[in-house]
Amino acid sequence: MKKIQIYDTTLRDGTQGEGITLSLADMLRIATRLDKLGVDFIEGGWPASNETDKAFFREIRNHGLSHARISAFGSTCSPHGTAESDPQLQALIDSKPDAICIFGKTWDLHVHEALRTTEEHNLSMIRDSLAVLRPHVEVLHFDAEHFFDGFKSNPEYALDCLRAAHEGGAEVLVLCDTNGGTLPSEIRNIIQRVRTAIPEATLGIHTHNDSDTAVAGAIEAVLAGAQLVQGTINGYGERCGNANLCSIIPNLELKHNGAYTCLPEGHMNQLAEVSRFVSDICNLHPFDRQPYVGTSAFAHKGGVHISAVRRNPRTYEHIEPRAVGNAQRILLSRLSGRSSILHMAEKYNYPLDKNDKAVKTLLDEIKAREDKGYEYASAEASFELLFFRALGWTKEYFERITFSVSDSVRGRDSSPYAEATVMIRVGDRIEHTAATGKGQVNALDVALRKALTPCYPSLAEMRLEDYKVRVLPGIKDDDTDGTASVVRVLIESADNTERWTTVGVHYDLVLASWQALIDSVVYKLFKDDPDKVLPLRTAE
């Protein structure tokens, strides 16, 4: 089993992605989580470029990392000075990292156009910069920037750059596809040629995703002999992103008959959680269809697929989801048929026989509701309520009487706000409450729970996490002449133990939201209710 070192550059290269900005606290949280995952190197940034990165190297020393080594990033010295007097090289030394990685030009085009210097002087810059750093750090890497483009343009000069870095003391020569335009087959071929030309060198790979082949390119590099892979969590990075470690790691560990290991034993099942953790810190919505770690990676919707995976998951799953910390999901729709309903019944610890008439009743109900715009694949809480009602559960926690909501402005600055009033009956008690909020849905949510909390105190811990609206222009509402657009509202709620999503559909946005809010509150009461009475059924 060959160890492939994982070099995470989420905190540096990943933050160059559009829409990603990390505070010092964010960087420290991600670094400690990556250390727990078991990556070998965490690139903390470029200490000479900004104060936040400089502070990171100072603060991370207080966090007692148990596995990863912290790497600082920089460049070769300026072409107008010497390595010994270069301030940014000194900043790398002053940051006192475990490792240093500097990049240098290996494409003659960049030497002439970007550095505006000679090819020979660039070789001296590479060699001298690494030699200055070598005595001050445990591990020293060289990022051969634009290496593959440089090799295709002038292979001998690109190799000379690698030789200069090796002579300067770099332990790993990282070959970079900086523009992301090199295909995987080219990467494999070029690395094989580099290994022949410089057999004593240890090679790494750094790919970008501009051709949508960054992961494949990194895998090909390892197959050709690279021993270190640079990448980011979720593939975050400049332009189209960097190589995605959440795909590279399981591809190497699971797809090559045990030939490679990337993380400490037993750690790969943290990948899905780490993926979500980093996306949350970066304030980006997780990519549901991301391979291995996305919520849709092992989701099944077609009836034939569901029927098969219920008997044997291997029929439509290329790995066991739990290997990467993910889980199988069965989606509910008109496409899924009886199999999905039987699966969900088992999930609710309420097994049904396929001949139970409730199965057909539920399937017919789902199809009828989908014709109106409902969608239960993403709203399992609403489906669970629908499921038990179809089986005969009739308990009502409260009765809706009326509600109203309005938008207005207030104060000298004319700040917008919404006001909602709600009237409900709980047993013999009528609650009539009002509340304000940031928008109509928020006001309704606050007013509804304000009315119910005296009778159901557990609602105090409930909160609205997400709110999504989609217009469904192809669906008509029975109560309109066809000119009103039907909207679907998905509301994600949470309490101290779990999250759940409910759905509402109507041509009126507020009424669709009200339906979803009601389902959300009822689901919370349902799951917490020790006295709920569920019907007993036998096959009919």
Side-chain angles (χ1 to χ4, degrees):
M1 185 177 291
K2 186 176 182 180
K3 173 69 171 89
I4 302 301
Q5 296 184 81
I6 299 299
Y7 185 109
D8 183 278
T9 181
T10 304
L11 301 182
R12 201 272 305 174
D13 225 355
T15 60
Q16 294 180 181
E18 186 174 6
I20 299 178
T21 302
L22 297 178
S23 67
L24 174 59
D26 294 335
M27 295 175 68
L28 293 169
R29 289 181 65 193
I30 290 175
T32 54
R33 187 63 190 87
L34 291 174
D35 175 63
K36 183 179 177 182
L37 175 64
V39 302
D40 298 287
F41 296 93
I42 299 171
E43 192 169 77
W46 191 337
S49 68
N50 63 83
E51 290 301 317
T52 300
D53 284 6
K54 186 182 295 185
F56 171 83
F57 289 98
R58 185 172 60 249
E59 294 296 327
I60 195 64
R61 300 172 198 156
N62 302 320
H63 284 69
L65 302 186
S66 61
H67 182 87
R69 288 183 278 192
I70 298 298
S71 180
F73 181 81
S75 73
T76 55
C77 64
S78 167
H80 307 297
T82 65
E84 291 79 3
S85 62
D86 190 85
Q88 70 92 24
L89 291 181
Q90 187 59 48
L92 289 171
I93 296 170
D94 292 342
S95 66
K96 299 180 180 180
D98 306 307
I100 290 176
C101 179
I102 65 169
F103 74 91
K105 303 297 185 182
T106 60
W107 186 3
D108 54 3
L109 173 71
H110 272 252
V111 174
H112 301 148
E113 299 294 333
L115 293 182
R116 295 183 179 275
T117 190
T118 66
E119 293 177 10
E120 189 59 38
H121 185 49
N122 180 57
L123 295 177
S124 298
M125 290 165 55
I126 294 171
R127 186 183 300 108
D128 295 347
S129 296
L130 289 162
V132 165
L133 296 171
R134 179 66 276 178
H136 300 281
V137 69
E138 297 175 23
V139 182
L140 187 59
H141 294 166
F142 175 68
D143 271 8
E145 189 187 36
H146 293 283
F147 178 78
F148 294 97
D149 292 312
F151 188 92
K152 286 182 279 187
S153 170
N154 187 340
E156 283 306 315
Y157 183 70
L159 289 171
D160 285 343
C161 291
L162 294 185
R163 292 187 182 100
H166 189 67
E167 292 167 4
E171 290 164 295
V172 180
L173 307 179
V174 182
L175 310 185
C176 302
D177 184 30
T178 312
N179 285 353
T182 307
L183 294 178
S185 58
E186 294 179 289
I187 288 176
R188 186 170 190 174
N189 176 264
I190 291 173
I191 287 183
Q192 289 172 339
R193 293 172 65 182
V194 171
R195 291 188 67 200
T196 300
I198 317 176
E200 68 276 16
T202 299
L203 303 180
I205 184 67
H206 176 115
T207 52
H208 283 256
N209 203 38
D210 299 74
S211 301
D212 202 21
T213 58
V215 170
I219 300 299
E220 286 292 317
V222 170
L223 295 177
Q227 298 178 45
L228 177 143
V229 175
Q230 292 189 358
T232 63
I233 298 299
N234 299 326
Y236 295 152
E238 195 168 22
R239 304 185 311 275
C240 303
N242 286 48
N244 186 353
L245 293 176
C246 296
S247 294
I248 291 171
I249 292 170
N251 272 331
L252 288 174
E253 291 209 358
L254 299 176
K255 299 294 185 177
H256 294 90
N257 297 316
Y260 302 106
T261 179
C262 301
L263 300 176
E265 186 176 356
H267 283 221
M268 193 170 59
N269 61 9
Q270 301 178 33
L271 271 179
E273 188 274 327
V274 169
S275 170
R276 291 188 292 268
F277 177 85
V278 172
S279 64
D280 185 56
I281 297 296
C282 292
N283 198 28
L284 295 175
H285 193 279
F287 178 37
D288 292 342
R289 291 176 177 81
Q290 185 174 173
Y292 288 105
V293 297
T295 58
S296 298
F298 303 97
H300 306 281
K301 189 173 183 179
V304 172
H305 292 208
I306 294 170
S307 179
V309 296
R310 288 187 68 233
R311 290 192 292 270
N312 187 341
R314 292 178 60 194
T315 54
Y316 285 97
E317 292 177 353
H318 67 117
I319 66 165
E320 290 188 11
R322 62 183 179 181
V324 291
N326 211 335
Q328 182 188 93
R329 294 173 60 230
I330 301 299
L331 306 181
L332 295 149
S333 77
R334 68 176 70 203
L335 302 175
S336 53
R338 295 172 181 261
S339 295
S340 62
I341 293 173
L342 296 174
H343 171 85
M344 299 307 286
E346 291 174 359
K347 181 177 178 179
Y348 303 146
N349 295 316
Y350 204 94
L352 290 176
D353 186 276
K354 65 180 181 180
N355 296 316
D356 193 313
K357 68 177 183 181
V359 175
K360 184 178 185 306
T361 299
L362 266 170
L363 188 58
D364 291 344
E365 181 72 9
I366 289 172
K367 290 180 177 180
R369 285 175 169 258
E370 284 196 356
D371 286 339
K372 296 180 180 180
Y374 286 85
E375 198 269 330
Y376 291 101
S378 301
E380 191 176 310
S382 285
F383 173 80
E384 187 171 347
L385 296 176
L386 184 68
F387 174 88
F388 282 109
R389 284 169 178 150
L391 266 65
W393 175 66
T394 58
K395 185 170 183 178
E396 295 290 343
Y397 296 102
F398 58 90
E399 178 188 350
R400 290 166 276 177
I401 299 176
T402 186
F403 80 90
S404 65
V405 64
S406 63
D407 283 312
S408 187
V409 294
R410 60 181 173 184
R412 292 183 178 180
D413 61 351
S414 298
S415 299
Y417 80 108
E419 181 176 351
T421 60
V422 171
M423 184 181 294
I424 60 173
R425 178 183 286 112
V426 182
D428 295 330
R429 179 176 176 177
I430 293 180
E431 294 286 346
H432 190 187
T433 62
T436 59
K438 296 179 179 179
Q440 295 181 341
V441 176
N442 178 237
L444 273 174
D445 177 43
V446 174
L448 177 62
R449 287 189 289 118
K450 182 179 179 181
L452 290 170
T453 300
C455 299
Y456 302 108
S458 68
L459 291 178
E461 66 186 36
M462 180 180 158
R463 60 191 182 276
L464 190 152
E465 292 284 308
D466 200 4
Y467 175 82
K468 298 176 184 176
V469 178
R470 183 178 177 186
V471 177
L472 307 172
I475 297 177
K476 296 182 180 180
D477 190 287
D478 295 339
D479 298 327
T480 71
D481 59 4
T483 59
S485 296
V486 171
V487 295
R488 178 196 298 143
V489 170
L490 290 173
I491 290 181
E492 183 180 359
S493 303
D495 58 14
N496 296 335
T497 59
E498 66 177 284
R499 293 173 178 244
W500 61 93
T501 302
T502 53
V503 62
V505 174
H506 203 275
Y507 64 85
D508 185 291
L509 175 62
V510 174
L511 287 173
S513 302
W514 177 247
Q515 291 175 14
L517 282 171
I518 290 293
D519 263 13
S520 184
V521 169
V522 171
Y523 181 79
K524 166 66 176 172
L525 298 176
F526 175 77
K527 77 185 188 71
D528 291 348
D529 185 358
D531 299 319
K532 59 176 175 279
V533 178
L534 301 178
L536 297 177
R537 298 186 66 85
T538 57
E540 299 178 17

